[in-house]
């Protein structure tokens, strides 16, 4: 039997390099491996957990599908769907919430960070975020989840829920593992923290042209270019991580040698990095332009994905209902 894989990305706009390297690359790798059955959704329901604009959400969920298809996710190989089209996820989330302690959710670092970021938006939906994510995964009994390292606390919750459901109700949920990529943590261009949609100036979008990429890199902080030790954190460290991800480890080592010797010229580093990033993004952008013109095709992919995903999720939810005394 094929091993099941599930992943998703929230509908907060077009994808950035963090989403691409941390999640989409892993999604692609598993999609192209015949040992896996892959399901990839747009986590549009999860988008309601932080402040959102209705019309933007409506547009953004389609943008994510375009990004998925342009990056190489293939509806012939993967089930691509909107989370909101499969109500079994929210139904299962409620059943699963009966084995979750409130304090466990309140103490999650991801919950605390979001409450700090949006103090007036500490909603029940936000508290339930990890339970819905567990439902997304367990609805398909998926054992593998390609996501960035920031999602590890959520996967831990999913594993706890799986264990409890197995022990208390005799389910056979696997304990889902993260499928990691080389870019499991893409740093911010600001020099602090990770690349994130909610931090202005921190990210490069998959849709950015060469000039936009140059502009974003231009504002990344640097130093004199020379020193006794190569910085392990901050702007320069982050640029070197991007160099490694897009130009390889040996290019990074060359820069490190320069840093300890004659010095790095950041303008040149940034220009060659911009070219390398654009070289990877350009084919994705060309494909995206073509797809954006074919509304019908995208609509069909989504409708077909919903049908296929629902059929699978329904089986699990019915099984849970019976085991819990609801059917
Ligand atoms: P979201 O939209 O916050 O992030 C989407 C994916 O991008 C990854 N990511 C990064 N990876 C490396 N470096 C970064 N700087 C970076 N920024 C973002 C995230 O780790 C994630 O993989 N909770 C999920 C959405 C979700 C989901 C699921 C995922 C909902 N249900 C079920 C898997 C399975 C999330 O973080 O979305």
């Amino acid at each position: 039997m094929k091993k099941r894989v599930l992943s998703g990305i929230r509908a907060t706009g077009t994808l950035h390099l963090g989403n691409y390297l941390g999640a989409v690359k892993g999604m692609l790798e598993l999609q192209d491996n015949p040992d896996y059955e892959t399901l990839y959704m747009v986590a549009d329901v999860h988008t309601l957990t932080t402040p959102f604009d209705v019309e933007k959400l409506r547009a953004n969920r389609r943008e994510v599908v375009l990004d998925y298809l342009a990056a190489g996710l293939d509806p012939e190989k993967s089930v691509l769907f909107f989370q909101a089209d499969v109500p079994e996820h929210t139904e299962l989330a409620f059943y699963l919430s009966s084995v979750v302690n409130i304090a466990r959710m309140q103490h999650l670092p991801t919950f605390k960070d979001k409450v700090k970021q949006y103090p007036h938006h500490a909603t029940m939906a936000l508290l339930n975020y990890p339970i819905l994510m567990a439902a997304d995964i367990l609805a398909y009994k998926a054992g593998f989840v390609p996501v960035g390292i920031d999602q590890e606390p959520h996967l831990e919750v999913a594993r706890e829920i799986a264990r409890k459901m197995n022990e208390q109700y005799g389910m056979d949920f696997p304990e889902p593992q993260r499928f990691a990529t080389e870019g499991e943590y893409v740093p911010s261009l600001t020099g602090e923290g990770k690349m994130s949609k909610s931090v202005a100036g921190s990210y490069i979008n998959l849709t950015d042209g060469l000039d936009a990429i140059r502009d974003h890199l231009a504002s990344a902080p640097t130093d004199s270019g020379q020193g006794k030790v190569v910085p392990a954190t901050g702007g320069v460290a982050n640029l070197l991580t991007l160099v490694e991800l897009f130009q390889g480890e040996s290019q990074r080592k060359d820069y490190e040698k320069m840093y300890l010797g004659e010095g790095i010229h950041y303008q040149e580093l940034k220009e060659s990095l911009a070219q390398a990033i654009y070289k990877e993004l350009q084919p994705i952008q060309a494909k995206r332009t073509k797809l954006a013109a074919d509304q019908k095709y995208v609509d069909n992919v989504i409708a077909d994905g919903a049908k296929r995903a629902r059929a699978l999720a329904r089986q699990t939810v019915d099984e849970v209902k019976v085991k819990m005394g609801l059917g």
Side-chain angles (χ1 to χ4, degrees):
M1 222 179 81
K2 287 190 181 214
K3 298 171 209 162
R4 286 250 176 95
V5 176
L6 181 122
S7 192
I9 295 183
R10 284 176 305 141
T12 47
T14 54
L15 305 191
H16 56 66
L17 292 183
N19 304 137
Y20 177 62
L21 298 175
V24 177
K25 281 254 181 156
M27 290 156 85
L28 285 166
E29 197 181 324
L30 293 175
Q31 161 188 275
D32 294 329
N33 183 332
D35 293 340
Y36 296 90
E37 180 183 1
T38 47
L39 295 119
Y40 300 132
M41 58 172 201
V42 178
D44 47 5
V45 179
H46 271 107
T47 313
L48 314 182
T49 59
T50 47
F52 67 99
D53 175 273
V54 171
E55 287 315 318
K56 275 195 194 138
L57 171 56
R58 212 186 303 282
N60 283 340
R61 56 211 287 265
R62 284 188 73 89
E63 294 295 309
V64 177
V65 177
L66 283 179
D67 281 335
Y68 275 174
L69 293 169
L73 293 189
D74 179 351
E76 302 287 322
K77 297 180 184 164
S78 296
V79 180
L80 305 177
F81 64 103
F82 288 140
Q83 186 185 26
D85 282 350
V86 186
E88 282 74 10
H89 292 218
T90 40
E91 181 184 355
L92 181 60
F94 194 87
Y95 305 147
L96 300 183
S97 74
S98 68
V99 299
V100 181
N101 188 283
I102 299 173
R104 173 77 175 98
M105 296 295 97
Q106 286 170 321
H107 289 128
L108 274 182
T110 40
F111 176 72
K112 289 184 184 167
D113 287 350
K114 285 283 183 254
V115 171
K116 227 184 252 168
Q117 202 177 346
Y118 306 106
H120 301 297
H121 215 267
T123 62
M124 283 307 299
L126 183 63
L127 192 65
N128 275 310
Y129 188 117
I131 305 177
L132 179 57
M133 182 160 159
D136 299 333
I137 300 164
L138 299 180
Y140 304 95
K141 300 190 179 175
F144 299 91
V145 185
V147 282
I149 200 162
D150 61 304
Q151 294 300 304
E152 196 56 68
H154 290 154
L155 284 184
E156 188 55 45
V157 171
R159 288 191 284 270
E160 283 170 25
I161 292 177
R163 278 197 293 274
K164 282 192 183 157
M165 292 298 292
N166 294 349
E167 281 163 18
Q168 293 181 27
Y169 299 107
M171 289 297 299
D172 62 346
F173 286 128
E175 291 187 27
Q177 305 299 319
R178 188 167 70 90
F179 181 77
T181 61
E182 234 179 288
E184 64 178 14
Y185 181 91
V186 179
S188 164
L189 296 179
T190 61
E192 242 179 83
K194 63 163 185 150
M195 187 173 283
S196 162
K197 243 294 129 63
S198 53
V199 180
S202 81
Y203 58 87
I204 291 172
N205 279 332
L206 288 195
T207 48
D208 285 339
L210 184 55
D211 283 337
I213 297 170
R214 282 187 181 122
D215 286 349
H216 292 309
L217 289 178
S219 46
T222 53
D223 59 10
S224 68
Q226 233 173 353
K228 287 211 174 85
V229 251
V230 181
T233 57
V236 172
N238 290 359
L239 275 177
L240 291 177
T241 301
L242 288 174
V243 164
E244 184 172 341
L245 289 168
F246 284 95
Q247 299 179 277
E249 202 186 340
S250 77
Q251 181 66 70
R252 180 204 178 103
K253 291 228 159 94
D254 287 349
Y255 282 128
E256 286 182 350
K257 261 187 227 143
M258 277 187 222
Y259 194 89
L260 302 171
E262 76 273 23
I264 299 179
H265 294 288
Y266 288 115
Q267 232 173 353
E268 287 164 25
L269 177 152
K270 286 180 175 182
E271 178 55 26
S272 79
L273 177 58
Q275 300 276 358
I277 293 174
Y278 185 61
K279 196 170 158 217
E280 179 135 3
L281 299 192
Q282 202 274 332
I284 298 176
Q285 294 171 4
K287 196 166 168 195
R288 200 181 197 283
T289 309
K290 270 198 204 144
L291 285 161
D294 198 349
Q295 293 257 6
K296 253 224 164 101
Y297 171 73
V298 177
D299 288 343
N300 283 339
V301 166
I302 290 304
D304 180 56
K307 232 189 274 160
R308 290 161 68 193
R310 269 201 92 168
L312 296 173
R314 194 65 243 164
Q315 287 179 15
T316 309
V317 176
D318 283 343
E319 189 187 344
V320 169
K321 284 182 74 176
V322 170
K323 295 252 158 90
M324 292 184 91
L326 297 170

